[in-house]
Amino acid sequence: MIYAAARLGGERALEESRLLAERVDAIATSQPEFAAHAGLQKERAEAWGYVTYAASQLGGERALKESRSLADRVETIATLQSEFAAHTGLQEEHATAWRFVTYAASELGGERALKESRSLAERVDAIATSQPEFAAHAGLQKERTEAWRCVTYAASELGGDQALEKSRSLAERVDAIATSQPEFAAHAGLQRERAEAWRCVTYAASQLGGERALMESRSLAERLDAIATSQPEFAAHAGLQEEHATAWRFVTYAASQLGGERALKESRSLADRVETIATSQPEFAAHARLQDERVTAWRCVTYAASKLGGERALEESRLLAERVDAIATSQPEFAVHAGLQEARTTAWRCVTYAASELGGERALEESLLLADRVDAIATSQPEFAVHAGLQEERAKAWRFVTYAASQLGGERALKESRSLSDRVETIATSQPEFAAHARLQDERATAWRCVTYAASKLGGERALEESRLLAERVDAIATSQPEFAVHAGLQEARATAWRCVTYAAAQLSGERALEECRSLAARVESIVTSQPEFAAHAGLQNQCSYAWTFVADRARAENEVQVEQQARVRASRRS
């Protein structure tokens, strides 16, 4: 009953499970002699362990604080009597509680997540190695591997070479525990934790970019291959095969980022490998998470195809999105699975991108139809309205249509793109919590940046006036949350919008135009230099270069006008 309550999620899970654990507490402490009864105290520790789990799922600082306090309560129970130190059941509950706290810490992100989770995993280690006989206890050692796997995850999220190096070292630690006893080789739970740790390292490698990402992630996925196929019975273990499929999906992603024909060829071949794993057992067809890995792999191939350009990009990506569609709709219950449906929306969003790049009326017409398809998926279930990932894909699709409209030129470009940007706005502001969601707000800002571009191309005073008003709108979005100041994507949208206004000013003539240009380029520069790390961001630096190029062009033009005027004056004097 407490287990069920703890799984409800959110505040309710914590509240309900806490009330039920208090009830167990009352029973297990109702008689003085019960304090020495290991069985009763184990039930009590287990009850508070479930509450610790509920707290660990809250997310953020609160999850860490609440779960740590509850794990202390489990510790008090598990160390109540000296003889409890050798009781495997009680010590397993003890280790599990601290493992939940380790998980909460690992989700904080950045260096802090790594530091906090490592310290907590050391605590789990101390419990699981406190008695010589615990070394052969699979349950206790599994808690230990899970704790270190959480630390491996925290390391893998750091990014760059340090993520790969640190997560690899931590996965070796998981490996050492999971292979410390001969009989552990056949223990699916332990081997799954081992596989999951190496999957985290594979992820870190896949994010490096370029050929190295592909080479390193492929090598790591092969290591995971060896674990997931080491016992004949592992072939039917959904959890292990899920980790197996996920690792090869990361390699598929790395390949899809290479660009061009090679990206399509390599990612298609790797997605076939994920397909083989996810369809290797008849019962896997209804396993949502395994099928999610399968659709996500084919979604990566769809992305690679969408980047080819022209008619081929549209044709190839459409065929691949249909494949994603077929998997994501293959079981009736998949209709409510947010992960599967998000992969589906992402695939069709990629096709929308391919269409939006065709140019002209056809780009607008095709992308409009495809964005409608994304819309239909993202609004197919009432609960999808609050799913940020699904709504982000929806906003992206409509942003691509906004881009296609902005390229039409003239009054129509401004009118159509403004109307479509309003649609992105509606999605990105549909839930109060979306206001702080950086990626959704990035889509919103980028959509209005497209409208700013359309306005800047109108020419004359109107181009300057309209584009300035629209850039102010982008500014308001990109500065609406303090943390947005360091978000490169949002600040790039902001810098690009003001660069467009700089262009509009540069098309005017006279000293005023030059003054406006200088003032606007300085505004772009202030955005681009607002954070030290922006110095290495090519997209942001490009916007600054473009803005000052417009100023230089305007200055040159003004100088040429002045030279010509002076020549005319001299000529008239001679005559």
Side-chain angles (χ1 to χ4, degrees):
M1 196 171 176
I2 303 177
Y3 172 84
R7 297 277 163 172
L8 290 172
E11 293 292 340
R12 186 159 169 239
L14 181 59
E15 187 184 326
E16 294 273 3
S17 58
R18 195 194 298 267
L19 284 171
L20 291 162
E22 295 283 6
R23 195 158 183 173
V24 173
D25 233 29
I27 299 164
T29 58
S30 60
Q31 300 295 324
E33 62 272 21
F34 288 175
H37 191 282
L40 264 169
Q41 296 311 311
K42 181 186 177 292
E43 291 301 321
R44 189 182 168 204
E46 191 174 354
W48 286 107
Y50 289 140
V51 191
T52 310
Y53 168 81
S56 74
Q57 301 300 300
L58 293 173
E61 293 291 341
R62 177 132 183 270
L64 180 59
K65 185 184 175 184
E66 291 273 7
S67 60
R68 196 194 296 267
S69 168
L70 289 157
D72 276 329
R73 189 153 186 172
V74 174
E75 186 154 66
T76 302
I77 300 163
T79 57
L80 201 60
Q81 305 291 327
S82 52
E83 63 271 21
F84 287 176
H87 192 282
T88 52
L90 262 165
Q91 294 314 310
E92 190 177 342
E93 294 304 329
H94 187 191
T96 304
W98 286 108
R99 189 257 293 171
F100 291 148
V101 191
T102 310
Y103 167 81
S106 74
E107 293 291 315
L108 292 173
E111 290 289 346
R112 175 135 183 269
L114 180 59
K115 184 184 175 184
E116 291 274 7
S117 60
R118 192 196 295 268
S119 168
L120 289 157
E122 296 284 6
R123 194 153 186 171
V124 176
D125 236 28
I127 299 162
T129 58
S130 60
Q131 302 292 324
E133 63 272 21
F134 287 175
H137 190 278
L140 266 164
Q141 297 311 308
K142 182 175 177 291
E143 292 305 324
R144 197 178 164 205
T145 58
E146 279 195 68
W148 286 108
R149 185 261 297 160
C150 289
V151 190
T152 309
Y153 166 80
S156 74
E157 293 290 314
L158 293 174
D161 278 310
Q162 68 163 334
L164 180 59
E165 186 185 324
K166 289 181 178 179
S167 61
R168 196 196 299 267
S169 169
L170 289 158
E172 295 284 6
R173 188 155 187 171
V174 174
D175 233 32
I177 301 164
T179 57
S180 61
Q181 302 292 324
E183 63 272 21
F184 287 175
H187 191 283
L190 268 163
Q191 297 310 309
R192 183 184 177 181
E193 292 305 322
R194 186 184 170 202
E196 200 169 341
W198 286 108
R199 185 261 289 165
C200 291
V201 191
T202 309
Y203 168 79
S206 74
Q207 301 300 300
L208 293 173
E211 293 290 341
R212 185 157 168 243
L214 180 59
M215 182 179 72
E216 292 271 12
S217 60
R218 194 195 297 268
S219 169
L220 289 157
E222 279 166 0
R223 183 154 189 173
L224 210 143
D225 245 15
I227 301 166
T229 58
S230 61
Q231 301 291 326
E233 63 273 20
F234 287 175
H237 191 282
L240 259 166
Q241 296 312 312
E242 186 190 333
E243 297 304 328
H244 190 191
T246 306
W248 285 107
R249 191 256 293 170
F250 289 149
V251 192
T252 308
Y253 167 81
S256 75
Q257 301 298 301
L258 293 174
E261 293 290 343
R262 177 134 180 268
L264 181 59
K265 184 183 175 186
E266 291 273 8
S267 61
R268 196 193 297 269
S269 168
L270 289 158
D272 276 327
R273 193 149 186 175
V274 176
E275 179 92 9
T276 302
I277 299 163
T279 58
S280 60
Q281 303 291 326
E283 63 273 20
F284 287 174
H287 191 282
R289 289 195 307 274
L290 257 168
Q291 298 311 308
D292 192 6
E293 293 306 324
R294 186 184 169 200
V295 296
T296 306
W298 286 110
R299 186 260 291 160
C300 290
V301 191
T302 309
Y303 169 84
S306 75
K307 292 288 177 176
L308 292 173
E311 293 291 341
R312 180 141 176 263
L314 180 59
E315 184 186 329
E316 290 272 8
S317 60
R318 195 193 300 267
L319 285 171
L320 288 157
E322 294 285 3
R323 186 159 188 170
V324 171
D325 239 27
I327 302 164
T329 57
S330 60
Q331 302 289 326
E333 62 273 21
F334 287 175
V336 295
H337 190 281
L340 274 161
Q341 298 310 311
E342 186 181 345
R344 193 181 166 204
T345 57
T346 308
W348 285 108
R349 182 261 292 168
C350 290
V351 192
T352 310
Y353 167 81
S356 74
E357 293 290 310
L358 292 173
E361 291 291 342
R362 179 131 182 272
L364 181 58
E365 186 184 321
E366 290 274 6
S367 60
L368 207 44
L369 286 170
L370 289 157
D372 275 329
R373 189 153 187 174
V374 173
D375 234 29
I377 301 164
T379 58
S380 60
Q381 301 294 325
E383 61 272 23
F384 288 174
V386 296
H387 190 282
L390 268 162
Q391 297 310 312
E392 184 191 336
E393 294 305 324
R394 189 183 168 204
K396 269 186 187 171
W398 286 108
R399 191 255 293 172
F400 291 146
V401 191
T402 307
Y403 167 81
S406 74
Q407 301 299 300
L408 293 174
E411 292 290 344
R412 180 140 178 261
L414 180 58
K415 183 184 174 185
E416 293 274 8
S417 61
R418 195 193 298 268
S419 169
L420 289 157
S421 196
D422 276 329
R423 194 147 186 176
V424 177
E425 179 89 10
T426 302
I427 299 163
T429 58
S430 60
Q431 301 294 324
E433 62 272 22
F434 288 175
H437 192 281
R439 290 194 308 273
L440 256 169
Q441 297 310 311
D442 191 5
E443 293 307 321
R444 185 185 169 201
T446 307
W448 286 110
R449 185 261 291 166
C450 291
V451 192
T452 310
Y453 169 85
S456 74
K457 293 287 178 176
L458 291 173
E461 291 288 345
R462 181 143 175 262
L464 180 59
E465 185 185 329
E466 291 272 8
S467 60
R468 194 194 298 271
L469 285 171
L470 288 157
E472 294 285 4
R473 190 157 188 171
V474 175
D475 233 30
I477 300 164
T479 58
S480 61
Q481 302 289 327
E483 62 272 20
F484 288 175
V486 295
H487 191 279
L490 270 161
Q491 297 311 312
E492 187 180 351
R494 189 183 169 204
T496 309
W498 286 108
R499 186 263 292 168
C500 290
V501 191
T502 311
Y503 169 83
Q507 303 312 298
L508 301 173
S509 57
E511 281 297 325
R512 180 171 161 257
L514 184 55
E515 282 174 26
E516 286 276 10
C517 272
R518 280 205 183 99
S519 170
L520 290 159
R523 188 155 186 170
V524 174
E525 188 164 51
S526 71
I527 298 164
V528 169
T529 56
S530 61
Q531 301 294 326
E533 61 270 24
F534 288 173
H537 192 281
L540 272 160
Q541 295 305 316
N542 280 343
Q543 298 312 317
C544 195
S545 297
Y546 291 144
W548 285 110
T549 300
F550 296 148
V551 179
D553 290 346
R554 183 70 260 149
R556 197 177 302 114
E558 284 304 314
N559 186 52
E560 286 168 3
V561 167
Q562 285 174 10
V563 168
E564 188 180 342
Q565 284 172 343
Q566 287 165 2
R568 280 178 184 168
V569 168
R570 283 194 296 269
S572 67
R573 282 174 183 165
R574 280 197 300 270
S575 65

